[in-house]
Structures are given as C-alpha cells and as structure tokens.
Amino acid sequence: MSEDRSEGRSESRFEGRFAAGGRLALTTFTVAPLRAGRVDRATAGTAMTLAPLVGALLGVLLAGLLGGLAAIAPPLVAGVVTVAAAALLTRGLHLDGLADTVDALGSYRSGEAALRIMRQPDVGPFGVTALLLVLLLQAASFAALAARPWTALLATLAAGAATGRLAVSWACRRGVPAARPEGLGALVAGTVGPAALLGLSAGVALLAVPAVPGRPWQGPLAVAVALAGTLLLLRHVVRRIGGITGDVLGASVELGGTLFYLGVVLTG
C-alpha cells in the first residue's frame, strides 16, 4: 500500500512539473495570457524541453495566417504581415535578444563589459542592422512560401518556428554555463539532457520532411544547417561572455528560424 502511495506521489509530482513547465514554456515563448506558476530549475528544464513543441504550435497559427493572406493579398504583403504577427505573438522578445546580442558581439568587448552593453535599453547600429536583415529575410522567405501547397506551407512554418526553439533547447544543454548568476540564463542553463535533445531534433527533422515538395531531404537538411549555425553562435558567445543569457536564447530563436526558412526556399 505504501509503495502504491509513493508511486502515486511520484506521478503527481511529474504531472505537476510537466504542467508548470508547459505554462512556463508558453509564457516565455508566446503572449499566452497565463498566470505565472511555479518557477524553479526543474520546471525551467521542462519548459526548455517543451520549447520546440510551443514553436510548432506557433508555426501552425502563422501558416494559417500566411495562407489566408496569400489568397487575398500580394505574396510580399502576406509575408510582411506574417512576420509582424510573429513578433506580436512573441512580444518581440526574441528580436530584442537578437539586437542586444549582436550589439555586444559587435563591440569587440568580452566578459562583463559585453554584458553591460546587452543590458542597455537602447539598440546600437549592429543590432539595428541585424534586425533589418533578419526581418527582411523572413518576409522574403514567407513571400516565396506563400504559393506552395498547403501541406508544405504548414510543415515549413511549424518546423521553422520549432527549429528556432530547438536551438534554445540545445543552448540549455548540460555543460553550457550561464553568463551571470541571475536572470533567465542562470535559471535554464544546463537543464536539458542529451536524450531529450536527440529526440527533439529527430522530431523536428521529421516535421520538416514535407516542407519542400518533391525533396523530402531538404527540410531535415535545413533543420541541421540551422542548428549548426546557432551552435556556432553559441560557441562564440560562450567564449566572449562566458555563457548564455536570455538575450542569447532570443538570438538563437531568430537565427535558427531564419536559417531554416532560407534553407527551405533555396531550390537550386
């Protein structure tokens, strides 16, 4: 009887952590109007593991918007509006992280000096340039995708948004430190294990298979290339500032998604 109660408590704790992690993932990566629940390292690890799933759900919403707009508006207009909607649905936090990270790296400073630049509220020339390039590339990619079959459009946007959040899961893997003792980076650093990362990567790659009609290999290849690009950024950031921050995670989202979209629209 005591063993049954112990197993029940274990299952209850797991379900509670999963629910709290899902809530944290939604509030971190979207504007979902949920109340803040329990926040600790175990919950944060669950949230970072669930991040690609949240991304895929967000991508489904964006695919519906892009497909609907493409039926009544020019492709470029549809693409721009979809990019704007993506920014609104994420409160622009990832774009802000991208700008702050690029500003810090562009300063050629390291350690605490670079972290001070990331904390500044203004955006410098490097950050502005990075934002313009990423937003333009995303809008152009969405315009190119607008004419594709519905299944390909859905797979592309779901896999693209999931790839950006998969980059966050990899940035939170064990062995990657936080740059500061406080903040989001400190909460999530080192919380995602290798088994989860391999399973998530395989799942996102499988999701990307229908992204390019007639080329089932191109979507998974785009996932791999995008992930490789974000890991290179992560390696450089860790060398320069000592670890990850919330801004670095935001930059990983935007870089990963953008590289994936580019890999899918290039038909060669």
Side-chain angles (χ1 to χ4, degrees):
M1 182 70 70
S2 61
E3 290 182 359
D4 291 340
R5 284 198 296 267
S6 177
E7 290 178 359
R9 285 195 297 270
S10 297
E11 290 178 0
S12 178
R13 284 196 297 270
F14 175 79
E15 292 173 357
R17 190 176 74 179
F18 187 85
R23 183 184 296 110
L24 182 59
L26 285 169
T27 56
T28 299
F29 295 103
T30 74
V31 294
L34 300 175
R35 289 185 298 176
R38 186 180 72 198
V39 179
D40 52 30
R41 280 185 60 80
T43 303
T46 302
M48 296 304 103
T49 302
L50 294 174
L53 177 59
V54 173
L57 294 174
L58 180 63
V60 169
L61 294 177
L62 295 175
L65 176 62
L66 180 59
L69 288 172
I72 60 175
L76 185 56
V77 173
V80 170
V81 174
T82 303
V83 168
L88 289 173
L89 290 173
T90 57
R91 298 188 297 273
L93 288 179
H94 310 319
L95 292 169
D96 179 68
L98 173 69
D100 289 342
T101 300
V102 174
D103 273 338
L105 295 177
S107 71
Y108 295 102
R109 297 179 183 178
S110 301
E112 185 57 36
L115 289 172
R116 281 197 298 271
I117 292 174
M118 296 176 78
R119 287 194 291 262
Q120 292 176 0
D122 58 326
V123 180
F126 287 106
V128 171
T129 302
L131 287 175
L132 286 175
L133 286 174
V134 163
L135 292 173
L136 286 172
L137 287 172
Q138 289 181 3
S141 297
F142 288 173
L145 293 168
R148 291 193 177 178
W150 169 244
T151 53
L153 181 62
L154 180 62
T156 298
L157 268 70
T163 297
R165 281 73 183 173
L166 176 63
V168 171
S169 301
W170 274 91
C172 296
R173 71 185 185 275
R174 292 169 189 166
V176 178
R180 313 185 181 101
E182 74 284 338
L184 179 61
L187 180 66
V188 301
T191 58
V192 183
L197 291 173
L198 292 177
L200 290 169
S201 300
V204 175
L206 185 63
L207 181 61
V209 168
V212 184
R215 295 185 175 191
W217 51 267
Q218 189 167 342
L221 178 60
V223 173
V225 171
L227 186 58
T230 60
L231 291 177
L232 287 175
L233 171 67
L234 178 64
R235 179 182 179 185
H236 183 58
V237 166
V238 170
R239 186 168 61 246
R240 286 282 300 277
I241 68 173
I244 63 171
T245 67
D247 285 332
V248 173
L249 300 182
S252 297
V253 170
E254 295 298 337
L255 178 63
T258 302
L259 289 176
F260 174 82
Y261 297 131
L262 288 175
V264 168
V265 298
L266 296 175
T267 57

